[in-house]
């Protein structure tokens, strides 16, 4: 049985990606939610599987432990058949992998200035030029994927997959910070937020009791 260790659903964007990946795998799993920066969190990071990286998400699969959202995606894709996570056509798969990897290692300004907080919607505010550049790059990638490979589906490569789950916390940020988007990107944000797995995560976040000032504007 898999166990996915996550932080607060309201704030932990990497946890959201790991959890969405396990959910997409269709495999049975349990979850261990550690409220970030609580005594429980500190203890778990000092001992047990979380001590390997000190970060969430961490996936425990029997005697195998993985951390880092992209490693978790790849492990689950191996377990379930890669087509559940990645498009089949080589050109689509190459773009999906490239934009997923770019997301995983990129957009530092957007991530710093617009932290994930799926429970909030803020009035529009000016973005720094660097953050706007991150937004523009993401919109360009979404537009490329949607126009070349979206077909009749609602997601980047038609069916919902690894690239979508990696960008899901970006979609929540675009809504939280009321960031103006061209139609194609705005429609994609709506599709992501309406996906049942994403909606399930956000609904559960609203039920969480913890409010951490460091993540609230
Ligand atoms: N590259 C990692 C990032 C994981 C990460 O930074 N998680 C944050 C929570 S969203 C965390 O555990 N932070 C605790 C810390 O940095 O001490 C991934 O893709 O999973």
């Amino acid at each position: 049985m898999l166990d996915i260790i996550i932080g607060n659903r309201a704030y932990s964007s990497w946890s959201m990606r790991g959890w969405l990946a396990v959910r997409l795998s269709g495999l049975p799993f349990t979850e261990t939610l550690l409220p970030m920066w609580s005594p429980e969190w500190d203890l778990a990071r000092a001992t047990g599987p979380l001590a390997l990286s000190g970060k969430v998400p961490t996936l425990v699969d029997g005697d195998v432990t993985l951390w880092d959202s992209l490693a978790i995606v790849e492990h689950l894709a191996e377990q379930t058949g890669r087509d559940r996570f990645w498009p089949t056509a080589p050109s689509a798969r190459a773009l999906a992998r490239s934009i997923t990897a770019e997301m995983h290692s990129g957009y530092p300004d957007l991530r710093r200035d617009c932290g994930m907080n799926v429970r909030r919607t803020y009035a529009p505010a000016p973005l720094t030029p660097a953050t706007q550049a991150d937004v523009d790059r993401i919109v360009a990638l979404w537009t490329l994927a949607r126009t070349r490979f979206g077909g009749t589906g609602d997601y980047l490569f038609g069916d919902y997959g690894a690239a979508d789950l990696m960008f899901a916390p970006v979609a929540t940020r675009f809504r939280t910070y009321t960031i103006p988007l061209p139609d194609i990107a705005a429609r994609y944000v709506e599709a992501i937020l309406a996906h049942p797995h994403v909606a399930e995560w956000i609904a559960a976040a609203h039920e969480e009791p913890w409010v951490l000032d460091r993540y609230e504007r």
Side-chain angles (χ1 to χ4, degrees):
M1 175 74 99
L2 301 169
D3 185 48
I4 183 85
I5 306 174
I6 57 173
N8 303 51
R9 280 189 160 86
Y11 310 120
S12 180
S13 61
W14 296 110
S15 295
M16 182 181 187
R17 294 180 177 98
W19 184 91
L20 289 174
V22 183
R23 198 75 175 73
L24 178 61
S25 77
L27 299 169
F29 70 99
T30 55
E31 67 179 45
T32 302
L33 193 157
L34 298 167
M36 293 164 77
W37 319 114
S38 66
E40 200 182 341
W41 162 267
D42 290 339
L43 180 66
R45 296 211 301 169
T47 59
L50 207 55
L52 282 166
S53 72
K55 294 187 186 213
V56 285
T58 288
L59 180 69
V60 181
D61 183 1
D63 56 2
V64 171
T65 299
L66 299 104
W67 63 94
D68 199 293
S69 53
L70 200 47
I72 290 170
V73 165
E74 288 301 351
H75 177 75
L76 294 167
E78 279 175 8
Q79 306 294 309
T80 58
R82 306 193 68 80
D83 294 354
R84 187 181 281 256
F85 284 83
W86 300 108
T88 317
S91 53
R93 189 171 282 211
L95 182 62
R97 283 192 168 129
S98 298
I99 70 173
T100 298
E102 182 175 319
M103 195 288 114
H104 184 252
S105 60
Y107 320 130
D109 293 277
L110 177 69
R111 284 180 4 210
R112 187 193 56 243
D113 291 353
C114 303
M116 189 176 93
N117 188 341
V118 302
R119 296 190 298 214
R120 304 273 180 253
T121 307
Y122 300 124
L127 301 176
T128 67
T131 300
Q132 185 62 53
D134 283 347
V135 171
D136 293 345
R137 173 67 180 164
I138 291 164
V139 167
L141 294 179
W142 287 359
T143 303
L144 178 65
R146 290 280 306 135
T147 52
R148 280 190 68 191
F149 300 113
T152 56
D154 290 334
Y155 297 101
L156 293 174
F157 297 88
D159 294 335
Y160 173 84
D164 301 296
L165 70 84
M166 288 300 281
F167 277 106
V170 173
T172 75
R173 285 169 159 102
F174 285 177
R175 181 174 70 176
T176 294
Y177 295 91
T178 320
I179 293 177
L181 296 171
D183 280 354
I184 192 166
R187 281 198 303 276
Y188 175 63
V189 166
E190 290 310 313
I192 277 286
L193 297 177
H195 188 280
H197 298 174
V198 176
E200 185 183 335
W201 175 276
I202 293 173
H206 282 280
E207 300 302 316
E208 283 179 354
W210 312 285
V211 177
L212 301 184
D213 286 346
R214 70 171 79 191
Y215 299 120
E216 299 289 336
R217 185 175 260 189

